[in-house]
Amino acid sequence: LEEWLACAGVALDDVEVALGSGDANEVGLPRYRLTGLVLRLDLTYYNSDHLDHKADTEGVVSYIKVNALPTWTYEDRMAYTTVPDRHSGVGSFRFRHQYGVSVQVEAKGEFAHVDYNAVITAIVNCLVILSLPGVIIQYVALYGIGHISQIYRRAQAELFSIRSQMFGLAARAIAGAQTFEHMHDSEDDGIRAMSKPQLRLRLRQAFYKSLQDETLNEEEFDSIVDSVYADGQAEGRSGGIRLGEFLDGFLSNDDLQIPEMAKFFARDRKRGILERLLSEARPPVSASSRVSESQPPDFSSLAKVHPAKLQGGM
């Protein structure tokens, strides 16, 4: 008993103020030897997956904590020394009102396991909560700051029209072809092309500021020229950058490309069922497409007006 009490940090000869009568005339304080106490053993169980399982061994462990609860602990006990006579009822007994240590045991514990569904749910909830500030800021930016919000909305959700894209592609292609007309300086198999010296000259004009402030040195600039010149030509050819290759680079960032535009107007292309039902973009039937194949168009007038164009095609 002494060792168990030591685990709780008390001894039988210790006094407890809380167990006194509170009378001003009281002399001294009662000791546990007189009052008794409750010795409670708290047993706590954990399995190996629990965070509080700190033992080196695997499996279930139990931690015991001894608590001393100060209280007047007593027991009334009566024992007969002489059994009462059944006729006279005379007998004798001994009655005791005794104090002592009462032992109680309380068992509890937690068994933990990994719940993957709960982990996934927690991650999803965290992502949702973390995304809320962005959603709020986006809503304010798109709808809360007047005219600037209109600009943001247009930048966020660009309206895409195939017809408008085709016109823009054609306009940029024409501008690119006109630009190439002023820059080509050589021929490759009879086709006009841009030589490497001409490309170097044009790139030097484009990178003038970077070369001036020495952000770009000559060696790095030469690497740029070599890379652009090599990438601007079809694989296996080195005679210069032709118009078609120049336009491929000129229009590379467009959502609509020239081959797609050409395929859109191809007369032998079969449109799928959903395309016919859902797409409003239909290639128009021009007057020239209605001309009978047996009567090809006459280009003699064009030859008279633009003979140079017919002789030196691009």
Side-chain angles (χ1 to χ4, degrees), residues 146-166:
H147 179 66
I148 297 179
S149 292
Q150 297 179 3
I151 300 175
Y152 286 153
R153 287 199 301 271
R154 185 168 59 251
Q156 183 203 38
E158 180 181 359
L159 297 178
F160 188 89
S161 169
I162 294 180
R163 293 292 184 188
S164 300
Q165 290 291 325
M166 286 181 178

Side-chain angles (χ1 to χ4, degrees), residues 18-170:
L19 298 180
S21 64
D23 193 313
N25 297 323
E26 182 180 23
V27 178
L29 293 172
R31 301 177 183 274
Y32 287 123
R33 188 180 298 276
L34 174 64
T35 64
L37 55 85
V38 174
L39 197 64
R40 192 182 71 193
L41 308 180
D42 292 334
L43 308 180
T44 307
Y45 296 88
Y46 300 111
N47 66 337
S48 56
D49 291 333
H50 200 281
L51 295 177
D52 290 330
H53 184 285
K54 300 177 182 179
D56 296 334
T57 181
E58 294 291 332
V60 179
V61 296
S62 176
Y63 295 95
I64 302 176
K65 183 178 181 181
V66 184
N67 297 296
L69 307 180
T71 181
W72 288 87
T73 307
Y74 63 90
E75 179 186 32
D76 292 332
R77 177 173 296 183
M78 184 179 66
Y80 284 95
T81 56
T82 302
V83 179
D85 184 77
R86 62 177 181 174
H87 297 292
S88 63
V90 176
S92 61
F93 64 89
R94 181 177 59 192
F95 180 84
R96 289 182 178 178
H97 182 76
Q98 56 190 10
Y99 294 87
V101 176
S102 174
V103 179
Q104 299 178 358
V105 178
E106 181 176 323
K108 59 183 180 181
E110 293 181 355
F111 280 24
H113 66 280
V114 179
D115 188 345
Y116 293 100
N117 292 330
V119 172
I120 294 174
T121 301
I123 294 175
V124 171
N125 291 338
C126 290
L127 293 176
V128 171
I129 293 174
L130 291 176
S131 65
L132 286 179
V135 173
I136 295 173
I137 294 174
Q138 181 181 15
Y139 183 84
V140 172
L142 294 179
Y143 301 101
I145 50 180
H147 179 66
I148 297 179
S149 292
Q150 297 179 3
I151 300 175
Y152 286 153
R153 287 199 301 271
R154 185 168 59 251
Q156 183 203 38
E158 180 181 359
L159 297 178
F160 188 89
S161 169
I162 294 180
R163 293 292 184 188
S164 300
Q165 290 291 325
M166 286 181 178
F167 178 78
L169 177 65

